[in-house]
């Protein structure tokens, strides 16, 4: 069973994660902007860090890494910054999985 933090993060960002693969560039940019809230999210609590780690492993990683080759430079820059910030918040054990 997953922790409450995982479920709430997943529900909160599910649409944005799905929109990262949309063909419309405006939709992708809006999704990246919405997900940028994860950059400033407090992960001081271990459950919050675990929730972010599980969200990262389950769906966020692949969706963001695909944007590294996006045709829009701003999307590439935003995805690189978001991945960098998220990885810096994750515990080492999650990053190594």
């Amino acid at each position: 069973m997953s922790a409450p933090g995982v479920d709430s993060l997943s529900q909160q960002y599910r649409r944005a994660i799905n929109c990262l693969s949309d063909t419309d560039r405006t939709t992708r940019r809006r999704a990246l902007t919405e997900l940028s809230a994860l950059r400033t999210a407090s992960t001081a609590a271990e459950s919050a860090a675990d929730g972010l780690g599980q969200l990262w492993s389950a769906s966020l990683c692949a969706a963001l890494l695909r944007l590294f080759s996006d045709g829009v430079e701003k999307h590439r820059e935003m995805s690189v910054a978001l991945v960098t910030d998220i990885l810096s918040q994750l515990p080492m054990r999650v990053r190594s999985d």
Side-chain angles (χ1 to χ4, degrees), residues 45-51 53-54 57 90-97:
E46 189 172 328
S47 64
D50 286 342
Q54 289 184 11
S57 299
L90 294 178
M92 186 58 75
R93 63 181 162 72
V94 175
R95 286 187 252 167
S96 63
D97 288 344

Side-chain angles (χ1 to χ4, degrees), residues 14 23 25-26 29 35 37 43 45-46 51-53 59 64-65 76 82 88 97:
R14 180 177 298 141
T23 56
R25 70 175 72 193
T26 306
R29 181 171 297 190
L35 288 167
T43 57
E46 189 172 328
L52 183 58
S59 58
L64 284 173
L65 292 179
R76 293 191 303 266
L82 188 54
S88 70
D97 288 344

Side-chain angles (χ1 to χ4, degrees), residues 29 32 67 70-80:
R29 181 171 297 190
L32 281 165
L67 288 178
D70 195 278
V72 180
E73 182 177 6
K74 185 66 175 176
H75 297 170
R76 293 191 303 266
E77 291 172 354
M78 290 174 74
S79 62
V80 167

Side-chain angles (χ1 to χ4, degrees), residues 9-50:
L9 275 177
S10 179
Q11 289 174 359
Q12 184 177 0
Y13 294 108
R14 180 177 298 141
R15 183 176 186 281
I17 293 170
N18 290 338
C19 287
L20 291 176
S21 60
D22 195 279
T23 56
D24 182 42
R25 70 175 72 193
T26 306
T27 303
R28 291 192 311 271
R29 181 171 297 190
R30 259 188 269 127
L32 281 165
T33 303
E34 184 177 335
L35 288 167
S36 68
L38 290 171
R39 296 170 73 179
T40 58
S42 171
T43 57
E46 189 172 328
S47 64
D50 286 342

